Amino acid sequence: MPLNACELEIDLFCRGLRLDGDLSLEGARSIARTRAGLGSGLELVLPTGSWLKQRIWVNAPVEEPFAAASPYVLHGAPAGGHWIEDTRDGHRYAVDVPPEPAWYARTTSRGIPMHRVGVLQGSYLGIYVNMVCTFWNYQPALNCRFCTTGENVGEHEAADKAVEDVVETCRAAKAESGITFVHLNAGFQGSRGVQFAEPYIRAIKEQVGLLVGAQLAPEKDFSRYDRLIDLGVDHLSFCVEFFDPEWFARICPGKQRVLGQQIFLDSIEYCARRMPRGAVSGEIIAGLEPIASTLGGIDWIAARGAFPTVCVFRPTVGADLEAWAPPRYEEMRAVMAHVYDACRRHWIPIGAAPNIEVSIVVNPDDAALLAPRGPAFYAYEGYRRLARAVAAPIFARRMRPRRRREPGDDGEIPQASTAPEPGGRSSTA
Ligand code: SF4
């Protein structure tokens, strides 16, 4: 029985992908081992054939050793077109291989290659701002055991990203790849991570005009989040990673020693009360702690009006856990179905923001393809459509370049310099 597109996405995360020996990936997005390393795979787009969602982005693991045993093989026809073959039953799934954007090859005015500033991970731009996470500087290191940020920042991506590098890269990605959202993350920076991120957020909102998300280690002074909200941040996410306290302590020794798990939960609660429903997320890794803990965490996050962002654990090359096994498909399918169900039960407007498709996780709305059909399902899908329609002009306004309001002006900056170029949008973005 063939899998639907969300099931295939989950199975690719769990089993990885092999590449046909004759396959040429010239022109495809190159593998970008940046940030925590989760983008270490090949970017693909899976058509769904469903009215619920037309396509799903996935970053399929190809370099990790477990992928060498995958039943999935990517093929390409010389005349164009790609498909994944499941060698267990011969089934073929049509896929798109998105092209690498031209701006990856350009440099910022400081001479920094733009692909070393930010990378596309699905249809959005991901940028690690700030210095390398300080958990990597301890002796012995206190880094999270699944993470490779300490190997990537300064190696595969620029260690020093000035505000103008980020602004110019965002501008290029908006104009040429049609992005609507940039996600900034920063690792642990003591009590100054929020402060360090502020100039980037301010400049992007004022000079580019994008939806901006920030993923920063929690800080005790929650008024700093109020400041980010005043600056116009659209999304805040907190990487609690594990709900089981023992797994949290075991896999995230720095977070355990310096921060503790509770501050992640308190930060989610605080920000979810101050931001629109669904603007905050709690990030979890599935496949290490007991599944019951993950399901409990998903429920906890959704009950706060936030949405769960759930990564399938990837034993990334270079991480302390690189020799660990990836999780089982059946369990991950159950987790992702639970994500959708929790969002439905708590009326979280998932998928309301325009064109934000994340390739390194199963988006909560991808998981609509896993849900049983019934009155509750259709009622929620109707609500999501309504939320999208109501939110569209709000997001459009928030995507205009906007300087902070001075007395006597409306704060808006004319858009002409950053409007997408006709025909410049990538075919898959
Ligand atoms: S906090 Fe953990 S996951 Fe985040 S960058 Fe630091 S080591 Fe990596």
Side-chain angles (χ1 to χ4, degrees):
M1 177 92 170
L3 303 178
N4 70 37
C6 182
E7 291 169 330
L8 179 59
E9 175 188 29
I10 295 168
D11 213 15
L12 287 169
F13 281 132
C14 293
R15 298 181 195 274
L17 177 69
R18 288 185 284 138
L19 306 180
D20 177 3
D22 295 332
L23 178 70
S24 165
L25 287 175
E26 197 180 335
R29 284 189 193 174
S30 48
I31 287 170
R33 190 171 288 280
T34 56
R35 312 218 284 173
L38 278 182
S40 62
L42 181 67
E43 296 268 295
L44 298 172
V45 183
L46 314 178
T48 69
S50 168
W51 59 272
L52 287 166
K53 185 162 193 175
Q54 293 188 338
R55 50 195 188 170
I56 286 177
W57 285 80
V58 60
N59 184 283
V62 291
E63 293 197 330
E64 285 70 22
F66 73 90
S70 174
Y72 296 111
V73 182
L74 179 66
H75 299 275
H82 293 86
W83 68 94
I84 290 174
E85 181 186 2
D86 184 341
T87 55
R88 294 168 297 185
D89 58 11
H91 192 82
R92 292 178 166 204
Y93 299 92
V95 300
D96 293 328
V97 179
E100 185 150 284
W103 59 264
Y104 266 31
R106 296 208 297 272
T107 58
T108 67
S109 52
R110 290 200 323 140
I112 311 288
M114 288 188 180
H115 74 272
R116 286 176 59 82
V117 177
V119 292
L120 297 176
Q121 294 183 322
S123 65
Y124 80 100
L125 182 68
I127 301 181
Y128 183 94
V129 291
N130 296 358
M131 295 156 291
V132 70
C133 169
T134 59
F135 288 148
W136 291 82
N137 300 334
Y138 284 77
Q139 289 297 334
L142 290 177
N143 60 286
C144 302
R145 300 310 184 206
F146 54 82
C147 175
T148 59
T149 294
E151 313 284 333
N152 299 332
V153 176
E155 182 66 29
H156 305 294
E157 61 180 293
D160 168 29
K161 299 175 185 101
V163 169
E164 58 263 42
D165 296 324
V166 168
V167 164
E168 290 169 25
T169 304
C170 286
R171 206 175 262 147
K174 179 178 180 181
E176 298 175 35
S177 299
I179 66 157
T180 55
F181 177 64
V182 58
H183 187 240
L184 310 177
N185 71 322
F188 178 65
Q189 307 292 337
S191 59
R192 291 182 297 168
V194 173
Q195 184 191 334
F196 286 157
E198 281 182 12
Y200 297 98
I201 295 170
R202 181 196 301 274
I204 295 167
K205 295 304 282 187
E206 291 184 355
Q207 299 176 45
V208 187
L210 284 171
L211 301 177
V212 178
Q215 186 178 87
L216 307 163
E219 294 178 17
K220 288 189 181 125
D221 179 359
F222 287 172
S223 69
R224 292 178 185 170
Y225 299 124
D226 297 334
R227 222 178 123 63
L228 291 186
I229 294 167
D230 285 346
L231 281 178
V233 77
D234 301 278
H235 166 65
L236 289 171
S237 56
F238 297 93
C239 296
V240 59
E241 320 289 15
F242 304 101
F243 265 71
D244 181 313
E246 286 178 22
W247 277 89
F248 178 86
R250 179 178 173 193
I251 306 294
C252 305
K255 290 182 179 183
Q256 167 71 11
R257 185 161 133 191
V258 181
L259 296 165
Q261 188 189 40
Q262 189 60 43
I263 194 171
F264 288 84
L265 306 180
D266 293 345
S267 302
I268 292 170
E269 262 190 318
Y270 181 87
C271 294
R273 281 200 302 269
R274 278 160 178 73
M275 295 183 76
R277 200 165 182 75
V280 174
S281 73
E283 304 234 349
I284 308 180
I285 295 176
L288 290 174
E289 67 178 346
I291 292 300
S293 300
T294 302
L295 300 185
I298 290 166
D299 288 333
W300 188 94
I301 292 167
R304 268 72 196 166
F307 68 93
T309 308
V310 183
C311 281
V312 174
F313 165 62
R314 182 181 303 199
T316 309
V317 174
D320 295 337
L321 301 185
E322 70 174 345
W324 288 38
R328 290 178 48 235
Y329 164 76
E330 292 75 14
E331 288 187 341
M332 294 302 100
R333 190 191 187 287
V335 166
M336 300 311 168
H338 195 80
V339 168
Y340 179 85
D341 191 56
C343 291
R344 179 191 61 73
R345 283 184 279 111
H346 293 285
W347 299 96
I348 309 297
I350 52 176
N355 189 35
I356 304 180
E357 299 296 339
V358 182
S359 61
I360 56 177
V361 302
V362 177
N363 295 269
D365 58 334
D366 296 354
L369 274 66
L370 308 177
R373 305 295 192 262
F377 169 83
Y378 289 110
Y380 181 52
E381 284 304 313
Y383 161 76
R384 292 211 303 121
R385 285 191 172 217
L386 184 63
R388 267 201 303 276
V390 169
I394 299 169
F395 284 123
R397 198 166 59 241
R398 294 184 72 89
M399 285 189 287
R400 290 185 201 131
R402 177 177 282 266
R403 66 175 178 268
R404 295 189 83 199
R405 202 177 283 257
E406 304 293 343
D409 74 30
D410 67 2
E412 288 192 14
I413 295 172
Q415 241 191 320
S417 63
T418 54
E421 294 164 1
R425 181 174 169 152
S426 123
S427 61
T428 50

